[in-house]
Amino acid sequence: MRIATWNVNSIRSRIDRVAAWLERSDVDVLAIQETKCRDDQFPELSLLAAGYEVAHHGLSQWNGVAIISRVGLEDVQVGFADMPTWGDPAAAEARAISAVCGGVRIWSLYVPNGRTLEDPHYAYKLQWLDQLHADATGWLADDPAAQIALMGDWNIAPRDEDVWDMAKFEGRTHVSKLEREAFAAFEDSGYADVVRPHTPGPGTYTYWDYTQLRFPRREGMRIDFALCTPALAARVTAASIDREERKGKGASDHAPVVVDLA
């Protein structure tokens, strides 16, 4: 089975590219982030025609997550227990959805950005990650043989090599000590970054800002990950980052991340 994650930065703008990529890449399950649409606006017809089922959670033109599968889509769950809220009035955002696909619990996660180290959104990001970690640790404790993939845009660069120039990020989000500790907590609990061993750095990224010619200058960040439970990590035979999909007119600012399972 081949699973993948991709922040598409507006599914309505990129549905043709997504459909073409699915056909070309032969992916069975795709976790999508930043769909930027409500459920009733999701352009699913071409995906359904290609044999995929769709589970989407979107509340507005912001955020939005989805799972697209051709190997089953069962027990869909929106959000996780006690997921922190944001806004006025405070409400849970469309940042997490999961489903069982081909026997694997796939999570599509869009971790809050954080904005700046002084912004309340940074504290919200850390709270969000802390609660997700508490739940994820519990899932593994309840079933050590569980097959779970936490896939998505984590908005964290866990290592110095995951940004093109650490000096440019001094005092900024994505690389702060607390964010990196939050990411490391998942690994300490048994979840494995299954892509990095197959795509070593430095200079290996999944995101390039549209501005200042970041992509052609190879000035990117590695912030999209698949963290898997031990039982699922043991099935990984290959992984890749499809940098080519970042090229061309109408590309997302993120590249798809692909994982092959035995």
Side-chain angles (χ1 to χ4, degrees):
M1 188 164 73
R2 175 168 287 175
I3 62 177
T5 182
W6 190 6
N7 179 324
V8 298
N9 192 15
S10 178
I11 187 64
R12 288 180 291 175
S13 299
R14 299 188 170 83
I15 184 59
D16 291 343
R17 287 191 69 133
V18 171
W21 183 81
L22 283 170
E23 180 178 4
R24 186 170 64 253
S25 60
D26 198 30
V27 161
D28 296 299
V29 185
L30 175 62
I32 289 180
Q33 302 83 46
E34 273 204 281
T35 60
K36 294 185 175 180
C37 67
R38 301 188 309 267
D39 290 348
D40 63 313
Q41 297 173 316
F42 192 97
E44 63 180 16
L45 291 181
S46 61
L47 302 174
L48 297 176
Y52 288 88
E53 298 177 83
V54 177
H56 176 253
H57 177 46
L59 302 173
S60 66
Q61 74 272 30
W62 307 112
N63 309 316
V65 284
I67 296 174
I68 300 169
S69 172
R70 65 180 183 187
V71 291
L73 194 64
E74 302 173 353
D75 192 23
V76 175
Q77 297 181 17
V78 172
F80 48 86
D82 299 318
M83 190 168 74
T85 57
W86 178 258
D88 186 16
E93 296 185 296
R95 292 185 176 275
I97 191 171
S98 77
V100 175
C101 307
V104 178
R105 168 68 67 179
I106 302 289
W107 280 91
S108 180
L109 304 169
Y110 180 42
V111 176
N113 181 285
R115 300 176 183 171
T116 70
L117 299 185
E118 297 76 28
D119 197 292
H121 213 255
Y122 179 72
Y124 165 57
K125 177 180 188 174
L126 295 176
Q127 293 166 1
W128 200 93
L129 286 163
D130 185 62
Q131 188 57 49
L132 175 62
H133 175 256
D135 282 12
T137 302
W139 302 330
L140 195 51
D142 291 341
D143 181 7
Q147 301 201 31
I148 303 172
L150 307 178
M151 308 185 75
D153 177 357
W154 288 73
N155 270 313
I156 299 173
R159 301 182 186 179
D160 288 358
E161 68 177 31
D162 295 334
V163 296
W164 62 277
D165 185 351
M166 272 300 295
K168 301 290 185 182
F169 287 85
E170 184 176 353
R172 296 173 59 184
T173 60
H174 292 66
V175 301
S176 72
K177 179 176 182 289
L178 293 179
E179 288 168 293
R180 287 181 166 181
E181 287 177 349
F183 187 93
F186 288 87
E187 296 179 297
D188 292 342
S189 296
Y191 287 82
D193 174 358
V194 298
V195 179
R196 189 182 297 274
H198 299 272
T199 59
T204 302
Y205 310 125
T206 64
Y207 165 84
W208 302 259
D209 195 288
Y210 288 127
T211 61
Q212 302 179 25
L213 300 175
R214 294 292 191 212
F215 183 68
R217 291 178 179 175
R218 296 181 177 272
E219 297 174 350
M221 305 172 68
R222 187 200 288 252
I223 57 175
D224 302 86
F225 296 94
L227 299 187
C228 297
T229 54
L232 187 59
R235 294 177 55 193
V236 174
T237 58
S240 61
I241 299 167
D242 191 351
R243 189 179 184 277
E244 292 298 306
E245 190 57 35
R246 177 59 176 81
K247 298 178 179 179
K249 184 178 179 180
S252 170
D253 45 5
H254 293 250
V257 178
V258 181
V259 177
D260 287 335
L261 304 173

